[in-house]
Amino acid sequence: MQIYTQFIYEKTWSKTTKEQAVKIIKEEMPQTDPEATLSYILQEIQKGKIITFGECRFKLMDH
């Protein structure tokens, strides 16, 4: 499973590492705990959901 992200102004999804996801979370919502937020996002996207956080969407793909 691979994490993919897409900003709301983009049309394509980009492969993202966990480190990149933490950086995105820090930039989008600096007042949150990025590790805990990523943990929550991972739990939800493993259920097949697309999570929007700030201006970025997260999802999992089987590639």
Side-chain angles (χ1 to χ4, degrees):
M1 295 275 197
Q2 178 65 49
I3 302 170
Y4 280 77
T5 57
Q6 177 190 50
F7 284 91
I8 60 173
Y9 49 82
E10 296 176 329
K11 293 186 185 231
T12 60
W13 290 87
S14 301
K15 194 181 290 188
T16 306
T17 65
K18 288 185 180 182
E19 293 80 19
Q20 291 170 322
V22 167
K23 184 177 177 184
I24 291 168
I25 293 166
K26 284 181 184 178
E27 291 172 359
E28 290 295 310
M29 299 273 186
Q31 69 276 19
T32 64
D33 176 356
E35 295 291 335
T37 303
L38 179 60
S39 177
Y40 167 76
I41 290 171
L42 290 174
Q43 287 175 1
E44 294 302 310
I45 63 177
Q46 287 176 2
K47 298 175 186 175
K49 296 180 180 180
I50 296 175
I51 300 298
T52 302
F53 189 78
E55 293 191 2
C56 187
R57 296 180 184 107
F58 294 85
K59 73 175 182 176
L60 281 184
M61 292 179 76
D62 289 326
H63 299 201

